Amino acid sequence: MFKTIKLSSVKTFSLMFSIIFFLNVSYTILKSVRKTLAVAAPGGSITSIPLFELFGVLPAAIFMTWFLTKILKKYSLKKVFYFSLFLFTTFFILFAGIYYPKLIAMAKGTEGTTLISFASMLFYVVGELWKPALIQILFLGLINFNLTVDQAKKAYPPMMLGASLGALFAGPIIVYCNSDSLWKLLPLSTEKWNHSLIMMMSFVFLIGIITAFLYQSLCKVFNITEGSFEKEKHFSLKEALAFFKQSRPLKLLGWIVFADYIAFSLAEVLFLGILKLKYPLPCDYCTFMGHLSSIHSLTFIFCALIVAPICLKKIRWVSCAIILPVGLLVGEGIFFFFLCGESFISKLFYFTHEMWLTSVIAIGSALYCICRAVKYTIFDPCKELAFVSMPDMEKMKGKLVIDGLCAKFGKGTSSAATISLISISGGVIASAGPAAIIALGIGLSLILSTRKLGSALDSTKLNPA
């Protein structure tokens, strides 16, 4: 293929680092905003997240994957990236500047609340698709096409550091955009939340322009022309699914990605529900998410600088990949123990309700930060290394199915389970017990599947000599 680049080039590293940095700045901002819109903004509630995931994100992810297979047949990966980036950034700036403020002004009674909820779901869906479309499929797809396994092992730790720094950089932006001082200094709306939303989406739009120029420069470094992917792009979603069914490693990898989202999402919804009890106002809620992103990023940086390089270069693939399932199982065990056992915990540690609430939020925050840091800096690179080792045609087929469908089916399944458990149990917190059983059972299956996948990949060049 085109694996003739000099990875030692400072320019190559700088461009890959910068692109993943800026894409993750925007993704972190979007993540905080979409969760705030779903949970704490007007018309929001904790039950909105599983509904948005099941009835919004899942069908949209299926459509996105089908759409990408169609346009990749006609246009280069470079053009598809530009087109997708333009659609995303244009939507966000129009939503914040025009659509959402008008809905808030028009909102009256039940009808207005319904319209706002629909708008929040629309933003949630588009914001959720940013990562699989732009980062996982179109950007990392470009990287995987142009690096060998050995080059990828060197490139992914610094790229994951760029992702970590991007999330860290986004935290202060989120906090500042939601601050009273900025609202008083430059009031873009009479409503504080509208003002904050416009400011944050303006950053996303500006970052999108910068990213487009950086992506163009990286394509020049890789010497990518319009015909570069001509051979790889002639396949359909049906063909990609058929290939996925025939490949045991891809099926195991698909299950791991699918199950990871189920296990984590079940705990995340409960964590966000508890969080709203402490921060009921949207700006306060979004500010906490900004602070959480900063802490999250520091954990990222530690893993990216110290843990990931050692793991990816020195130990076996399966030993790296299994860190996330084990950490998820242990972390969620502690989180659910505290969440489900308020009475026991209060007697054991002499906690008041407020102290118990604070401890659950602290444990949930630690679980959120540590498990996601391990996922993005260790597990995701392990997943990408598995793709890099495959023939070129198989890379894009596998990525489209796993990153485009398996991840979203995992979230959709988790959402369906959450909705069912809430309906049966009579409330979000009341559903914690059965959710714990499902999440921990899925965690055990993740460990077993990762071991099997490690055995299947033992014959490849993924393991150190």
Side-chain angles (χ1 to χ4, degrees):
M1 210 13 219
F2 303 99
K3 296 165 183 164
T4 57
I5 65 164
K6 294 181 180 179
L7 196 62
S8 59
S9 166
V10 174
K11 183 177 181 180
T12 305
F13 267 123
S14 299
L15 287 170
M16 292 191 297
F17 181 94
S18 300
I19 293 170
I20 199 76
F21 170 84
F22 283 115
L23 287 174
N24 274 277
V25 170
S26 294
Y27 177 69
T28 304
I29 294 172
L30 293 171
K31 182 167 62 175
S32 297
V33 171
R34 64 186 173 83
K35 288 179 179 178
T36 302
L37 284 171
V39 177
S45 71
I46 188 57
T47 55
S48 297
I49 289 182
L51 289 171
F52 290 178
E53 292 282 356
L54 182 60
F55 298 110
V57 174
L58 180 56
I62 295 171
F63 173 79
M64 178 202 73
T65 307
W66 170 84
F67 182 68
L68 285 177
T69 60
K70 290 292 184 183
I71 61 175
L72 283 170
K73 287 182 179 181
K74 297 181 179 180
Y75 304 102
S76 67
L77 193 62
K78 182 169 68 172
K79 282 188 175 180
V80 174
F81 180 87
Y82 294 146
F83 175 70
S84 302
L85 184 63
F86 172 78
L87 286 182
F88 276 112
T89 53
T90 301
F91 168 81
F92 293 133
I93 198 68
L94 291 178
F95 179 93
I98 299 174
Y99 184 49
Y100 190 76
K102 283 189 175 181
L103 282 181
I104 293 294
M106 292 167 53
K108 291 180 180 179
T110 305
E111 182 180 353
T113 302
T114 303
L115 288 172
I116 294 172
S117 297
F118 176 77
S120 299
M121 183 174 76
L122 186 61
F123 186 98
Y124 190 98
V125 170
V126 180
E128 178 70 18
L129 296 181
W130 176 278
K131 184 178 180 180
L134 292 175
I135 300 178
Q136 294 176 327
I137 295 176
L138 297 177
F139 173 63
L140 293 181
L142 175 75
I143 299 301
N144 290 344
F145 266 108
N146 290 277
L147 299 184
T148 64
V149 171
D150 290 338
Q151 288 175 329
K153 286 184 177 182
K154 296 176 182 177
Y156 271 106
M159 279 205 299
M160 293 307 105
L161 175 61
S164 306
L165 291 173
L168 178 64
F169 189 74
I173 293 175
I174 296 167
V175 172
Y176 186 58
C177 287
N178 284 277
S179 65
D180 288 332
S181 58
L182 182 60
W183 186 32
K184 292 174 182 177
L185 178 67
L186 186 66
L188 300 179
S189 173
T190 55
E191 296 289 334
K192 184 182 177 183
W193 174 238
N194 288 351
H195 157 84
S196 300
L197 188 60
I198 293 169
M199 289 300 303
M200 287 185 283
M201 292 308 100
S202 297
F203 273 103
V204 170
F205 186 80
L206 177 62
I207 289 168
I209 296 173
I210 297 170
T211 305
F213 282 106
L214 292 170
Y215 194 87
Q216 169 69 18
S217 299
L218 184 62
C219 288
K220 288 180 180 178
V221 171
F222 285 154
N223 194 28
I224 293 174
T225 62
E226 289 306 309
S228 294
F229 294 93
E230 191 69 30
K231 187 177 178 181
E232 282 76 11
K233 66 189 181 183
H234 289 301
F235 63 87
S236 65
L237 179 58
K238 183 178 179 181
E239 290 170 346
L241 287 169
F243 175 77
F244 174 81
K245 292 177 183 178
Q246 294 170 1
S247 171
R248 185 169 181 265
L250 280 181
K251 284 192 290 186
L252 285 169
L253 189 57
W255 167 254
I256 291 168
V257 171
F258 172 83
D260 165 60
Y261 274 99
I262 295 178
F264 188 80
S265 296
L266 284 169
E268 185 184 28
V269 169
L270 291 166
F271 168 63
L272 295 175
I274 286 288
L275 195 59
K276 189 180 180 181
L277 296 178
K278 194 168 182 67
Y279 302 103
L281 298 178
C283 286
D284 293 340
Y285 192 96
C286 197
T287 297
F288 179 86
M289 294 302 295
H291 288 306
L292 187 63
S293 295
S294 297
I295 299 170
H296 188 196
S297 304
L298 293 174
T299 314
F300 264 131
I301 292 169
F302 174 78
C303 289
L305 282 177
I306 299 173
V307 182
I310 296 173
C311 291
L312 294 173
K313 294 178 183 178
K314 302 295 182 182
I315 66 176
R316 296 173 61 80
W317 185 93
V318 67
S319 300
C320 290
I322 210 168
I323 294 172
L324 175 64
V326 172
L328 197 60
L329 184 66
V330 174
E332 290 199 338
I334 297 171
F335 173 74
F336 280 115
F337 175 73
F338 269 76
L339 182 59
C340 298
E342 180 182 2
S343 176
F344 175 77
I345 296 297
S346 298
K347 290 178 181 177
L348 182 65
F349 297 108
Y350 302 101
F351 278 1
T352 63
H353 174 75
E354 187 65 25
M355 294 168 68
W356 167 81
L357 181 63
T358 302
S359 67
V360 173
I361 290 175
I363 294 168
S365 299
L367 174 67
Y368 182 93
C369 294
I370 295 172
C371 285
R372 292 299 91 178
V374 171
K375 173 178 168 55
Y376 297 140
T377 61
I378 299 176
F379 176 77
D380 280 356
C382 285
K383 181 187 69 174
E384 298 303 328
L385 284 172
F387 286 127
V388 171
S389 67
M390 299 175 186
D392 289 335
M393 274 292 286
E394 299 175 10
K395 290 176 187 176
M396 190 57 73
K397 289 179 180 179
K399 285 193 72 63
L400 279 167
V401 175
I402 291 175
D403 290 335
L405 294 180
C406 291
K408 300 312 170 191
F409 268 105
K411 280 198 170 185
T413 302
S414 172
S415 299
T418 300
I419 293 169
S420 301
L421 292 176
I422 291 173
S423 300
I424 295 169
S425 305
V428 175
I429 307 302
S431 68
I437 295 171
I438 296 172
L440 296 178
I442 291 291
L444 286 172
S445 79
L446 276 171
I447 294 174
L448 296 174
S449 298
T450 304
R451 287 177 60 86
K452 289 181 180 179
L453 181 58
S455 299
L457 296 174
D458 267 345
S459 59
T460 71
K461 297 179 181 179
L462 295 178
N463 294 311

